[in-house]
Amino acid sequence: MKNLNIEFPITSQTTENDKLALLKIRDILGASGQYKYLEVGSFLGGSLTPFLRDEKCIKVLSIDKREKLISDERGAKYDYKGITNQVMIDGINLRGIKTDKLAVFDGSVDEFESNEEKYDFLFIDGEHTDSACFRDFIYAERLLNKDCIIAFHDSTLIHKALKLICILLDSKKYIYKFIKIKNSEVSVLFVGNYINYKIDEFFESEISMDEFYRRAEIYLLSSNISNRVSFNFLVKDSPAKKAF
């Protein structure tokens, strides 16, 4: 049993099951030999550490729109101002993890100028809106090898983007398998030869994606209603309300 505190020493928004899912993906990648890891949305680097620690991972690229105010599909806002790439790197080094194979890019993945280097695993964990997730995927796709694994975090929030991505892959006649890991917010695309792995032996996935999408819709609807009610409560006695 892997020690999650050692693999993930930095606090992050990933749950225990999310972390276990990432470690299982790492095992699959390592079984094929050396690999390269690309992450879109790193914050403090909490999900970079297990790949920086892995000797079979020879390159890690972190792309992040740092020091921004970002939102998600619930309308929530998150202030990441002051979180620079150096803050992230210092925090990783403080845990005794080397960062010599880590490269960083401050900005959106669509602004990243490719040097033709290809990656085997992509983890998308940036702005949790459908449009941002879809953008991150279509621009990161050019950076991936033909045989690759792509994981998404906070799948409930970006479930519409996940459906659109599968439609896009179908239109391009990709060979892939898509799963949502049960009791986790991680969903995974296995592309090319990676579909030949015994995925069901590694992961317990949702039996019905349609049911998952239905639950995600209900969750977002209730969250948005709650946010609107809270907002109305806050402004109902405010002079600003008279401007509407």
Side-chain angles (χ1 to χ4, degrees), residues 4-194:
L4 294 183
N5 291 328
I6 292 176
E7 297 283 3
F8 298 90
I10 296 173
T11 300
S12 71
Q13 295 174 323
T14 49
T15 66
E16 180 175 314
N17 285 338
D18 296 340
K19 292 170 181 174
L20 289 171
L22 290 175
L23 292 180
K24 289 179 181 179
I25 293 172
R26 189 183 69 174
D27 289 342
I28 293 174
L29 291 161
S32 300
Q34 294 181 330
Y35 65 92
K36 297 178 182 179
Y37 173 50
L38 166 61
E39 183 174 285
V40 177
S42 296
F43 188 37
L44 293 173
S47 49
L48 292 174
T49 55
F51 300 94
L52 290 171
R53 294 181 72 252
D54 187 10
E55 292 181 356
K56 290 188 176 181
C57 182
I58 59 174
K59 176 70 179 289
V60 176
L61 172 62
S62 166
I63 297 178
D64 198 314
K65 295 173 66 176
R66 304 177 201 279
E67 299 192 82
K68 302 291 185 181
L69 184 69
I70 66 173
S71 60
D72 67 21
E73 284 296 336
R74 297 167 296 189
K77 300 288 185 182
Y78 299 91
D79 189 358
Y80 291 157
K81 294 176 182 176
I83 307 300
T84 64
N85 65 53
Q86 194 59 53
V87 168
M88 179 186 75
I89 292 170
D90 289 345
I92 295 172
N93 288 332
L94 189 63
R95 273 74 176 184
I97 299 173
K98 295 180 180 179
T99 53
D100 52 310
K101 62 185 177 185
L102 172 64
V104 296
F105 175 76
D106 290 350
S108 177
V109 65
D110 58 296
E111 300 168 334
F112 181 74
E113 294 185 6
S114 172
N115 59 1
E116 303 303 321
E117 189 166 25
K118 300 295 183 180
Y119 294 81
D120 306 285
F121 177 38
L122 164 65
F123 184 36
I124 294 180
D125 191 18
E127 183 181 344
H128 293 123
T129 63
D130 291 309
S131 58
C133 176
F134 191 71
R135 175 205 62 213
D136 291 345
F137 174 80
I138 59 176
Y139 281 99
E141 182 190 6
R142 65 197 164 101
L143 305 175
L144 299 175
N145 281 315
K146 182 178 67 173
D147 301 319
C148 63
I149 300 176
I150 306 161
F152 305 85
H153 193 228
D154 285 315
S155 301
T156 296
L157 297 181
I158 46 91
H159 69 280
K160 291 179 181 176
L162 297 178
K163 287 199 281 188
L164 290 173
I165 287 167
C166 288
I167 291 172
L168 177 64
L169 294 182
D170 288 338
S171 73
K172 292 185 173 184
K173 301 188 184 304
Y174 268 61
I175 299 172
Y176 73 94
K177 181 172 182 178
F178 177 62
I179 66 169
K180 158 65 175 57
I181 299 173
K182 196 171 183 180
N183 300 320
S184 166
E185 273 300 297
V186 174
S187 53
V188 190
L189 274 167
F190 300 89
V191 183
N193 286 333
Y194 280 106

